[in-house]
Short mmCIF file of all heavy atoms in Angstrom, two decimals:
data_model
loop_
_atom_site.label_atom_id
_atom_site.label_comp_id
_atom_site.label_asym_id
_atom_site.label_seq_id
_atom_site.Cartn_x
_atom_site.Cartn_y
_atom_site.Cartn_z
N MET A 124 -22.71 27.28 13.61
CA MET A 124 -21.47 26.54 13.70
C MET A 124 -21.02 26.03 12.33
O MET A 124 -21.84 25.61 11.53
CB MET A 124 -21.66 25.35 14.64
CG MET A 124 -20.52 25.27 15.64
SD MET A 124 -20.81 23.91 16.78
CE MET A 124 -19.40 22.91 16.34
N VAL A 125 -19.74 26.12 12.07
CA VAL A 125 -19.22 25.65 10.79
C VAL A 125 -18.63 24.26 10.96
O VAL A 125 -17.84 24.02 11.86
CB VAL A 125 -18.14 26.63 10.27
CG1 VAL A 125 -17.60 26.15 8.92
CG2 VAL A 125 -18.67 28.04 10.16
N CYS A 126 -19.08 23.38 10.11
CA CYS A 126 -18.54 22.01 10.15
C CYS A 126 -17.41 21.92 9.14
O CYS A 126 -17.65 22.01 7.93
CB CYS A 126 -19.65 21.00 9.83
SG CYS A 126 -19.05 19.31 9.89
N PHE A 127 -16.22 21.81 9.62
CA PHE A 127 -15.08 21.79 8.73
C PHE A 127 -14.50 20.37 8.67
O PHE A 127 -14.06 19.81 9.67
CB PHE A 127 -14.02 22.76 9.23
CG PHE A 127 -12.86 22.91 8.29
CD1 PHE A 127 -13.04 23.41 7.00
CD2 PHE A 127 -11.58 22.56 8.70
CE1 PHE A 127 -11.96 23.55 6.15
CE2 PHE A 127 -10.49 22.69 7.85
CZ PHE A 127 -10.69 23.20 6.56
N CYS A 128 -14.57 19.81 7.48
CA CYS A 128 -14.08 18.44 7.30
C CYS A 128 -12.69 18.48 6.69
O CYS A 128 -12.49 19.01 5.61
CB CYS A 128 -15.06 17.70 6.39
SG CYS A 128 -14.49 16.07 5.91
N PHE A 129 -11.75 17.94 7.39
CA PHE A 129 -10.38 17.90 6.87
C PHE A 129 -9.79 16.54 7.23
O PHE A 129 -9.18 16.38 8.26
CB PHE A 129 -9.56 19.04 7.45
CG PHE A 129 -8.23 19.23 6.76
CD1 PHE A 129 -8.17 19.88 5.54
CD2 PHE A 129 -7.07 18.75 7.32
CE1 PHE A 129 -6.95 20.05 4.91
CE2 PHE A 129 -5.85 18.92 6.69
CZ PHE A 129 -5.79 19.58 5.47
N LEU A 130 -10.05 15.60 6.35
CA LEU A 130 -9.65 14.24 6.69
C LEU A 130 -8.98 13.60 5.47
O LEU A 130 -9.59 13.51 4.41
CB LEU A 130 -10.88 13.43 7.11
CG LEU A 130 -10.61 12.06 7.69
CD1 LEU A 130 -10.07 12.16 9.11
CD2 LEU A 130 -11.89 11.27 7.70
N VAL A 131 -7.75 13.22 5.63
CA VAL A 131 -7.03 12.54 4.54
C VAL A 131 -6.60 11.18 5.05
O VAL A 131 -6.04 11.07 6.13
CB VAL A 131 -5.80 13.37 4.10
CG1 VAL A 131 -5.02 12.61 3.01
CG2 VAL A 131 -6.21 14.74 3.57
N ASP A 132 -6.92 10.16 4.30
CA ASP A 132 -6.42 8.86 4.68
C ASP A 132 -5.95 8.09 3.46
O ASP A 132 -6.26 8.43 2.34
CB ASP A 132 -7.45 8.07 5.48
CG ASP A 132 -8.64 7.62 4.64
OD1 ASP A 132 -8.86 8.22 3.56
OD2 ASP A 132 -9.30 6.68 5.04
N GLN A 133 -5.17 7.08 3.72
CA GLN A 133 -4.60 6.27 2.66
C GLN A 133 -4.92 4.81 2.88
O GLN A 133 -4.87 4.33 3.99
CB GLN A 133 -3.07 6.42 2.67
CG GLN A 133 -2.57 7.49 1.72
CD GLN A 133 -1.08 7.41 1.51
OE1 GLN A 133 -0.37 6.78 2.27
NE2 GLN A 133 -0.61 8.05 0.47
N THR A 134 -5.29 4.14 1.80
CA THR A 134 -5.50 2.69 1.92
C THR A 134 -4.53 1.99 0.99
O THR A 134 -4.27 2.45 -0.12
CB THR A 134 -6.94 2.32 1.55
OG1 THR A 134 -7.28 2.90 0.30
CG2 THR A 134 -7.93 2.77 2.59
N LYS A 135 -4.02 0.90 1.44
CA LYS A 135 -3.07 0.11 0.68
C LYS A 135 -3.73 -1.21 0.31
O LYS A 135 -4.36 -1.84 1.16
CB LYS A 135 -1.83 -0.17 1.52
CG LYS A 135 -0.63 0.62 1.06
CD LYS A 135 0.59 0.12 1.77
CE LYS A 135 1.20 1.21 2.65
NZ LYS A 135 2.20 0.69 3.56
N LYS A 136 -3.57 -1.62 -0.93
CA LYS A 136 -4.17 -2.87 -1.36
C LYS A 136 -3.15 -3.67 -2.13
O LYS A 136 -2.37 -3.12 -2.91
CB LYS A 136 -5.35 -2.61 -2.26
CG LYS A 136 -6.66 -2.57 -1.53
CD LYS A 136 -7.76 -2.53 -2.55
CE LYS A 136 -9.07 -2.07 -1.87
NZ LYS A 136 -10.11 -1.85 -2.86
N VAL A 137 -3.17 -4.95 -1.95
CA VAL A 137 -2.32 -5.84 -2.74
C VAL A 137 -3.21 -6.48 -3.79
O VAL A 137 -4.18 -7.15 -3.48
CB VAL A 137 -1.68 -6.93 -1.84
CG1 VAL A 137 -0.81 -7.83 -2.67
CG2 VAL A 137 -0.88 -6.30 -0.72
N SER A 138 -2.90 -6.22 -5.06
CA SER A 138 -3.75 -6.76 -6.10
C SER A 138 -3.26 -8.09 -6.66
O SER A 138 -4.03 -8.89 -7.11
CB SER A 138 -3.94 -5.73 -7.22
OG SER A 138 -2.73 -5.19 -7.61
N LYS A 139 -1.95 -8.28 -6.68
CA LYS A 139 -1.41 -9.53 -7.24
C LYS A 139 -0.18 -9.95 -6.44
O LYS A 139 0.54 -9.10 -5.96
CB LYS A 139 -1.01 -9.31 -8.68
CG LYS A 139 -1.91 -10.00 -9.68
CD LYS A 139 -1.28 -9.93 -11.05
CE LYS A 139 -2.01 -8.97 -11.95
NZ LYS A 139 -1.25 -8.66 -13.16
N ARG A 140 0.03 -11.24 -6.38
CA ARG A 140 1.21 -11.71 -5.68
C ARG A 140 1.86 -12.84 -6.45
O ARG A 140 1.19 -13.69 -6.97
CB ARG A 140 0.81 -12.24 -4.29
CG ARG A 140 0.93 -11.21 -3.25
CD ARG A 140 0.81 -11.87 -1.90
NE ARG A 140 0.53 -10.86 -0.89
CZ ARG A 140 0.71 -11.05 0.41
NH1 ARG A 140 1.15 -12.21 0.82
NH2 ARG A 140 0.48 -10.12 1.26
N LYS A 141 3.19 -12.79 -6.47
CA LYS A 141 3.95 -13.87 -7.10
C LYS A 141 5.08 -14.26 -6.18
O LYS A 141 5.68 -13.40 -5.55
CB LYS A 141 4.57 -13.34 -8.41
CG LYS A 141 3.76 -13.72 -9.65
CD LYS A 141 4.57 -13.38 -10.90
CE LYS A 141 4.06 -12.09 -11.52
NZ LYS A 141 4.99 -11.55 -12.51
N PRO A 142 5.37 -15.54 -6.08
CA PRO A 142 6.47 -15.95 -5.21
C PRO A 142 7.81 -15.39 -5.72
O PRO A 142 8.04 -15.31 -6.91
CB PRO A 142 6.48 -17.48 -5.28
CG PRO A 142 5.24 -17.87 -5.99
CD PRO A 142 4.71 -16.67 -6.72
N ALA A 143 8.64 -14.99 -4.79
CA ALA A 143 9.96 -14.44 -5.17
C ALA A 143 11.03 -15.08 -4.30
O ALA A 143 10.76 -15.66 -3.24
CB ALA A 143 9.96 -12.94 -4.95
N ALA A 144 12.25 -14.98 -4.77
CA ALA A 144 13.38 -15.50 -4.02
C ALA A 144 13.69 -14.55 -2.86
O ALA A 144 13.56 -13.35 -3.00
CB ALA A 144 14.59 -15.66 -4.92
N GLY A 145 14.07 -15.11 -1.75
CA GLY A 145 14.43 -14.25 -0.61
C GLY A 145 13.60 -14.59 0.62
O GLY A 145 12.56 -15.24 0.53
N PHE A 146 14.09 -14.12 1.73
CA PHE A 146 13.41 -14.37 3.00
C PHE A 146 13.25 -13.07 3.78
O PHE A 146 14.00 -12.13 3.62
CB PHE A 146 14.21 -15.39 3.83
CG PHE A 146 14.26 -16.74 3.19
CD1 PHE A 146 15.35 -17.14 2.45
CD2 PHE A 146 13.16 -17.60 3.35
CE1 PHE A 146 15.38 -18.39 1.84
CE2 PHE A 146 13.19 -18.86 2.73
CZ PHE A 146 14.30 -19.26 1.99
N CYS A 147 12.25 -13.08 4.62
CA CYS A 147 11.99 -11.93 5.48
C CYS A 147 13.06 -11.82 6.55
O CYS A 147 13.43 -12.81 7.16
CB CYS A 147 10.60 -12.10 6.10
SG CYS A 147 10.15 -10.82 7.25
N SER A 148 13.54 -10.59 6.76
CA SER A 148 14.57 -10.39 7.79
C SER A 148 13.98 -10.39 9.19
O SER A 148 14.69 -10.52 10.17
CB SER A 148 15.31 -9.09 7.53
OG SER A 148 14.39 -8.02 7.42
N ARG A 149 12.66 -10.23 9.29
CA ARG A 149 12.02 -10.16 10.59
C ARG A 149 11.63 -11.53 11.12
O ARG A 149 11.90 -11.88 12.26
CB ARG A 149 10.75 -9.31 10.50
CG ARG A 149 11.02 -7.86 10.78
CD ARG A 149 9.74 -7.23 11.31
NE ARG A 149 9.18 -6.30 10.37
CZ ARG A 149 7.95 -5.79 10.48
NH1 ARG A 149 7.16 -6.18 11.48
NH2 ARG A 149 7.50 -4.95 9.61
N CYS A 150 10.93 -12.31 10.25
CA CYS A 150 10.41 -13.59 10.75
C CYS A 150 10.96 -14.79 10.00
O CYS A 150 10.71 -15.91 10.39
CB CYS A 150 8.88 -13.57 10.69
SG CYS A 150 8.22 -13.62 9.00
N GLY A 151 11.68 -14.55 8.90
CA GLY A 151 12.24 -15.68 8.15
C GLY A 151 11.26 -16.32 7.19
O GLY A 151 11.54 -17.37 6.62
N GLY A 152 10.11 -15.72 6.99
CA GLY A 152 9.10 -16.25 6.08
C GLY A 152 9.48 -15.99 4.64
O GLY A 152 10.43 -15.24 4.34
N GLY A 153 8.76 -16.62 3.72
CA GLY A 153 9.04 -16.48 2.30
C GLY A 153 8.62 -15.12 1.75
O GLY A 153 7.64 -14.53 2.22
N ALA A 154 9.35 -14.64 0.77
CA ALA A 154 9.03 -13.35 0.16
C ALA A 154 8.22 -13.55 -1.11
O ALA A 154 8.27 -14.58 -1.74
CB ALA A 154 10.33 -12.61 -0.16
N SER A 155 7.44 -12.52 -1.47
CA SER A 155 6.73 -12.56 -2.73
C SER A 155 6.67 -11.15 -3.33
O SER A 155 6.69 -10.16 -2.61
CB SER A 155 5.33 -13.11 -2.52
OG SER A 155 4.54 -12.28 -1.73
N VAL A 156 6.60 -11.12 -4.67
CA VAL A 156 6.49 -9.84 -5.36
C VAL A 156 5.00 -9.49 -5.41
O VAL A 156 4.19 -10.29 -5.85
CB VAL A 156 7.05 -9.92 -6.80
CG1 VAL A 156 6.95 -8.59 -7.48
CG2 VAL A 156 8.49 -10.40 -6.77
N ALA A 157 4.66 -8.32 -4.97
CA ALA A 157 3.26 -7.91 -4.94
C ALA A 157 3.05 -6.62 -5.70
O ALA A 157 3.89 -5.72 -5.68
CB ALA A 157 2.82 -7.71 -3.49
N ASP A 158 1.93 -6.56 -6.42
CA ASP A 158 1.49 -5.31 -7.04
C ASP A 158 0.65 -4.57 -6.04
O ASP A 158 -0.44 -5.00 -5.68
CB ASP A 158 0.67 -5.59 -8.31
CG ASP A 158 1.52 -6.09 -9.46
OD1 ASP A 158 2.68 -5.65 -9.53
OD2 ASP A 158 1.04 -6.89 -10.25
N MET A 159 1.14 -3.46 -5.56
CA MET A 159 0.45 -2.70 -4.53
C MET A 159 -0.30 -1.53 -5.17
O MET A 159 0.08 -1.02 -6.21
CB MET A 159 1.44 -2.14 -3.53
CG MET A 159 2.42 -3.14 -2.97
SD MET A 159 1.63 -4.23 -1.80
CE MET A 159 1.62 -3.19 -0.36
N LYS A 160 -1.36 -1.15 -4.51
CA LYS A 160 -2.09 0.02 -4.95
C LYS A 160 -2.35 0.89 -3.73
O LYS A 160 -2.88 0.43 -2.72
CB LYS A 160 -3.44 -0.43 -5.53
CG LYS A 160 -3.58 -0.06 -6.99
CD LYS A 160 -4.95 -0.38 -7.50
CE LYS A 160 -4.88 -0.62 -8.97
NZ LYS A 160 -6.17 -1.03 -9.50
N THR A 161 -1.96 2.14 -3.82
CA THR A 161 -2.23 3.07 -2.74
C THR A 161 -3.28 4.06 -3.20
O THR A 161 -3.16 4.65 -4.27
CB THR A 161 -0.94 3.82 -2.33
OG1 THR A 161 0.08 2.87 -2.11
CG2 THR A 161 -1.15 4.64 -1.09
N CYS A 162 -4.29 4.19 -2.39
CA CYS A 162 -5.38 5.12 -2.73
C CYS A 162 -5.45 6.18 -1.64
O CYS A 162 -5.58 5.86 -0.46
CB CYS A 162 -6.69 4.33 -2.80
SG CYS A 162 -8.11 5.35 -3.13
N THR A 163 -5.32 7.44 -2.03
CA THR A 163 -5.39 8.54 -1.07
C THR A 163 -6.78 9.15 -1.16
O THR A 163 -7.25 9.48 -2.25
CB THR A 163 -4.31 9.58 -1.36
OG1 THR A 163 -3.05 8.94 -1.39
CG2 THR A 163 -4.29 10.66 -0.30
N ARG A 164 -7.41 9.30 -0.03
CA ARG A 164 -8.77 9.86 -0.02
C ARG A 164 -8.80 11.14 0.80
O ARG A 164 -8.09 11.29 1.79
CB ARG A 164 -9.74 8.85 0.60
CG ARG A 164 -9.80 7.56 -0.19
CD ARG A 164 -10.92 6.67 0.29
NE ARG A 164 -10.80 6.38 1.71
CZ ARG A 164 -11.76 5.75 2.41
NH1 ARG A 164 -12.85 5.38 1.80
NH2 ARG A 164 -11.59 5.50 3.68
N PHE A 165 -9.62 12.03 0.36
CA PHE A 165 -9.83 13.30 1.09
C PHE A 165 -11.32 13.39 1.37
O PHE A 165 -12.16 13.39 0.49
CB PHE A 165 -9.36 14.48 0.23
CG PHE A 165 -9.57 15.81 0.87
CD1 PHE A 165 -8.78 16.19 1.95
CD2 PHE A 165 -10.55 16.65 0.40
CE1 PHE A 165 -8.99 17.41 2.54
CE2 PHE A 165 -10.75 17.89 1.00
CZ PHE A 165 -9.96 18.27 2.07
N CYS A 166 -11.67 13.42 2.63
CA CYS A 166 -13.08 13.40 3.04
C CYS A 166 -13.81 12.22 2.41
O CYS A 166 -14.92 12.38 1.88
CB CYS A 166 -13.77 14.71 2.69
SG CYS A 166 -13.10 16.12 3.52
N TYR A 167 -13.20 11.08 2.44
CA TYR A 167 -13.74 9.83 1.91
C TYR A 167 -13.93 9.83 0.39
O TYR A 167 -14.56 8.95 -0.16
CB TYR A 167 -15.08 9.46 2.60
CG TYR A 167 -14.91 9.24 4.06
CD1 TYR A 167 -15.37 10.19 4.98
CD2 TYR A 167 -14.23 8.11 4.53
CE1 TYR A 167 -15.19 10.00 6.34
CE2 TYR A 167 -14.07 7.92 5.89
CZ TYR A 167 -14.54 8.86 6.80
OH TYR A 167 -14.35 8.67 8.12
N VAL A 168 -13.40 10.83 -0.30
CA VAL A 168 -13.48 10.84 -1.75
C VAL A 168 -12.10 10.54 -2.32
O VAL A 168 -11.16 11.31 -2.07
CB VAL A 168 -13.97 12.21 -2.28
CG1 VAL A 168 -14.04 12.22 -3.80
CG2 VAL A 168 -15.32 12.57 -1.67
N PRO A 169 -11.94 9.45 -3.04
CA PRO A 169 -10.63 9.13 -3.61
C PRO A 169 -10.22 10.15 -4.66
O PRO A 169 -11.00 10.51 -5.53
CB PRO A 169 -10.83 7.76 -4.25
CG PRO A 169 -12.14 7.26 -3.80
CD PRO A 169 -12.96 8.44 -3.40
N PHE A 170 -9.00 10.66 -4.54
CA PHE A 170 -8.55 11.63 -5.53
C PHE A 170 -7.19 11.31 -6.09
O PHE A 170 -6.71 11.95 -7.02
CB PHE A 170 -8.56 13.07 -4.96
CG PHE A 170 -7.49 13.34 -3.95
CD1 PHE A 170 -6.33 14.01 -4.32
CD2 PHE A 170 -7.63 12.95 -2.64
CE1 PHE A 170 -5.33 14.25 -3.40
CE2 PHE A 170 -6.64 13.20 -1.71
CZ PHE A 170 -5.48 13.85 -2.08
N TYR A 171 -6.52 10.29 -5.57
CA TYR A 171 -5.18 9.99 -6.05
C TYR A 171 -4.91 8.51 -5.92
O TYR A 171 -5.10 7.93 -4.84
CB TYR A 171 -4.17 10.82 -5.27
CG TYR A 171 -2.73 10.58 -5.67
CD1 TYR A 171 -2.29 10.94 -6.93
CD2 TYR A 171 -1.81 10.01 -4.78
CE1 TYR A 171 -1.00 10.74 -7.31
CE2 TYR A 171 -0.51 9.80 -5.14
CZ TYR A 171 -0.09 10.17 -6.40
OH TYR A 171 1.20 9.97 -6.77
N TRP A 172 -4.48 7.89 -7.00
CA TRP A 172 -4.12 6.48 -6.98
C TRP A 172 -2.67 6.32 -7.41
O TRP A 172 -2.19 7.06 -8.29
CB TRP A 172 -4.95 5.65 -7.94
CG TRP A 172 -6.35 5.44 -7.50
CD1 TRP A 172 -6.82 4.42 -6.73
CD2 TRP A 172 -7.50 6.23 -7.86
NE1 TRP A 172 -8.18 4.54 -6.57
CE2 TRP A 172 -8.61 5.64 -7.24
CE3 TRP A 172 -7.66 7.39 -8.61
CZ2 TRP A 172 -9.88 6.18 -7.38
CZ3 TRP A 172 -8.93 7.92 -8.74
CH2 TRP A 172 -10.03 7.31 -8.12
N LYS A 173 -2.05 5.35 -6.86
CA LYS A 173 -0.68 5.04 -7.26
C LYS A 173 -0.50 3.55 -7.21
O LYS A 173 -0.91 2.91 -6.25
CB LYS A 173 0.28 5.73 -6.29
CG LYS A 173 1.71 5.74 -6.79
CD LYS A 173 2.57 6.53 -5.81
CE LYS A 173 2.80 5.70 -4.56
NZ LYS A 173 3.66 6.38 -3.57
N SER A 174 0.05 2.96 -8.27
CA SER A 174 0.34 1.54 -8.19
C SER A 174 1.84 1.35 -8.23
O SER A 174 2.55 2.05 -8.94
CB SER A 174 -0.36 0.77 -9.32
OG SER A 174 -0.16 1.40 -10.53
N TRP A 175 2.33 0.43 -7.44
CA TRP A 175 3.74 0.20 -7.31
C TRP A 175 4.00 -1.26 -6.98
O TRP A 175 3.08 -1.98 -6.64
CB TRP A 175 4.35 1.12 -6.28
CG TRP A 175 3.58 1.22 -4.98
CD1 TRP A 175 2.34 1.77 -4.80
CD2 TRP A 175 3.98 0.69 -3.70
NE1 TRP A 175 1.98 1.63 -3.49
CE2 TRP A 175 2.95 1.00 -2.79
CE3 TRP A 175 5.12 0.01 -3.24
CZ2 TRP A 175 3.02 0.64 -1.45
CZ3 TRP A 175 5.20 -0.33 -1.91
CH2 TRP A 175 4.15 -0.01 -1.02
N LYS A 176 5.24 -1.64 -7.14
CA LYS A 176 5.62 -3.03 -6.86
C LYS A 176 6.43 -3.09 -5.59
O LYS A 176 7.22 -2.19 -5.32
CB LYS A 176 6.44 -3.56 -8.01
CG LYS A 176 5.57 -4.22 -9.03
CD LYS A 176 6.40 -4.87 -10.12
CE LYS A 176 5.50 -5.20 -11.27
NZ LYS A 176 5.55 -6.48 -11.77
N ALA A 177 6.25 -4.16 -4.86
CA ALA A 177 7.01 -4.32 -3.63
C ALA A 177 7.27 -5.78 -3.38
O ALA A 177 6.52 -6.65 -3.83
CB ALA A 177 6.26 -3.70 -2.46
N ILE A 178 8.36 -6.05 -2.67
CA ILE A 178 8.62 -7.41 -2.18
C ILE A 178 8.09 -7.46 -0.76
O ILE A 178 8.53 -6.67 0.08
CB ILE A 178 10.14 -7.70 -2.20
CG1 ILE A 178 10.73 -7.42 -3.57
CG2 ILE A 178 10.42 -9.12 -1.70
CD1 ILE A 178 11.02 -8.60 -4.41
N VAL A 179 7.12 -8.29 -0.53
CA VAL A 179 6.54 -8.38 0.79
C VAL A 179 6.71 -9.81 1.35
O VAL A 179 6.90 -10.77 0.61
CB VAL A 179 5.04 -8.02 0.79
CG1 VAL A 179 4.83 -6.57 0.43
CG2 VAL A 179 4.26 -8.92 -0.14
N CYS A 180 6.63 -9.88 2.66
CA CYS A 180 6.71 -11.17 3.33
C CYS A 180 5.31 -11.81 3.31
O CYS A 180 4.32 -11.16 3.59
CB CYS A 180 7.17 -10.98 4.77
SG CYS A 180 7.08 -12.47 5.75
N THR A 181 5.25 -13.08 2.90
CA THR A 181 3.95 -13.76 2.84
C THR A 181 3.44 -14.12 4.23
O THR A 181 2.27 -14.34 4.43
CB THR A 181 4.04 -15.03 2.01
OG1 THR A 181 5.17 -15.78 2.44
CG2 THR A 181 4.16 -14.74 0.54
N PHE A 182 4.35 -14.14 5.19
CA PHE A 182 3.95 -14.58 6.54
C PHE A 182 3.49 -13.41 7.42
O PHE A 182 2.38 -13.41 7.92
CB PHE A 182 5.10 -15.34 7.18
CG PHE A 182 4.73 -16.01 8.47
CD1 PHE A 182 3.89 -17.12 8.47
CD2 PHE A 182 5.19 -15.50 9.69
CE1 PHE A 182 3.51 -17.70 9.67
CE2 PHE A 182 4.83 -16.11 10.88
CZ PHE A 182 3.99 -17.21 10.86
N CYS A 183 4.34 -12.39 7.56
CA CYS A 183 3.98 -11.28 8.45
C CYS A 183 3.51 -10.03 7.69
O CYS A 183 3.02 -9.09 8.30
CB CYS A 183 5.12 -10.94 9.41
SG CYS A 183 6.53 -10.14 8.62
N GLY A 184 3.69 -10.01 6.37
CA GLY A 184 3.19 -8.89 5.60
C GLY A 184 4.11 -7.69 5.58
O GLY A 184 3.73 -6.63 5.09
N ALA A 185 5.32 -7.83 6.08
CA ALA A 185 6.27 -6.73 6.09
C ALA A 185 6.74 -6.39 4.68
O ALA A 185 6.90 -7.29 3.85
CB ALA A 185 7.45 -7.07 6.99
N ILE A 186 6.92 -5.12 4.39
CA ILE A 186 7.45 -4.71 3.09
C ILE A 186 8.97 -4.75 3.17
O ILE A 186 9.60 -3.99 3.92
CB ILE A 186 6.92 -3.32 2.71
CG1 ILE A 186 5.42 -3.40 2.50
CG2 ILE A 186 7.59 -2.82 1.43
CD1 ILE A 186 4.73 -2.06 2.39
N LEU A 187 9.55 -5.67 2.41
CA LEU A 187 10.99 -5.84 2.46
C LEU A 187 11.70 -4.89 1.49
O LEU A 187 12.83 -4.48 1.74
CB LEU A 187 11.36 -7.30 2.12
CG LEU A 187 10.57 -8.37 2.90
CD1 LEU A 187 10.91 -9.75 2.39
CD2 LEU A 187 10.86 -8.27 4.39
N ARG A 188 11.05 -4.58 0.40
CA ARG A 188 11.64 -3.72 -0.58
C ARG A 188 10.53 -3.13 -1.47
O ARG A 188 9.54 -3.81 -1.70
CB ARG A 188 12.58 -4.56 -1.46
CG ARG A 188 13.59 -3.74 -2.21
CD ARG A 188 14.37 -4.67 -3.08
NE ARG A 188 15.77 -4.32 -3.10
CZ ARG A 188 16.67 -5.00 -3.78
NH1 ARG A 188 16.31 -6.11 -4.41
NH2 ARG A 188 17.92 -4.65 -3.82
N SER A 189 10.68 -1.93 -1.90
CA SER A 189 9.65 -1.36 -2.77
C SER A 189 10.26 -0.75 -4.02
O SER A 189 11.35 -0.17 -3.96
CB SER A 189 8.81 -0.34 -2.00
OG SER A 189 9.58 0.76 -1.60
N TYR A 190 9.58 -0.91 -5.11
CA TYR A 190 9.98 -0.29 -6.38
C TYR A 190 8.97 0.78 -6.74
O TYR A 190 7.79 0.58 -6.58
CB TYR A 190 10.00 -1.33 -7.52
CG TYR A 190 10.79 -2.57 -7.18
CD1 TYR A 190 10.14 -3.70 -6.73
CD2 TYR A 190 12.16 -2.57 -7.38
CE1 TYR A 190 10.87 -4.85 -6.44
CE2 TYR A 190 12.88 -3.72 -7.10
CZ TYR A 190 12.23 -4.84 -6.64
OH TYR A 190 12.93 -5.98 -6.37
N ARG A 191 9.48 1.91 -7.24
CA ARG A 191 8.56 2.95 -7.63
C ARG A 191 8.64 3.27 -9.07
O ARG A 191 9.63 3.04 -9.68
CB ARG A 191 8.80 4.21 -6.81
CG ARG A 191 8.13 4.02 -5.49
CD ARG A 191 8.56 5.05 -4.49
NE ARG A 191 8.34 4.49 -3.18
CZ ARG A 191 7.37 4.93 -2.37
NH1 ARG A 191 6.58 5.88 -2.75
NH2 ARG A 191 7.20 4.41 -1.21
ZN1 ZN B 222 8.04 -11.69 7.78
#
């Protein structure tokens, strides 16, 4: 039998947060500017990283806006 592993997953991490002006459209919570990091893994081996900035809600965690 051949064991074929084909698994890709992505993990998102927030590395830094700063308070920002604005409110969440979903819950009305405060917004903050976050440095996000996306790590793509293939068979549990990380092979691609991307860091980007986003405005996220501090209360519910929703991404209100993203910069690339
Ligand atoms: Zn919210």
Side-chain angles (χ1 to χ4, degrees):
M124 228 177 116
V125 181
C126 181
F127 186 63
C128 173
F129 191 79
L130 189 75
V131 177
D132 70 338
Q133 266 193 343
T134 50
K135 252 190 243 168
K136 266 189 197 172
V137 180
S138 48
K139 251 191 251 167
R140 267 192 197 199
K141 261 190 258 166
F146 294 98
C147 176
S148 52
R149 269 208 248 167
C150 70
S155 66
V156 181
D158 286 328
M159 309 286 280
K160 242 186 205 176
T161 308
C162 177
T163 306
R164 298 190 303 171
F165 179 72
C166 297
Y167 299 106
V168 180
F170 73 99
Y171 180 65
W172 287 271
K173 193 176 73 179
S174 47
W175 47 291
K176 269 185 195 230
I178 307 256
V179 295
C180 172
T181 48
F182 189 72
C183 72
I186 294 168
L187 311 174
R188 199 184 220 179
S189 64
Y190 308 98
R191 279 167 203 252

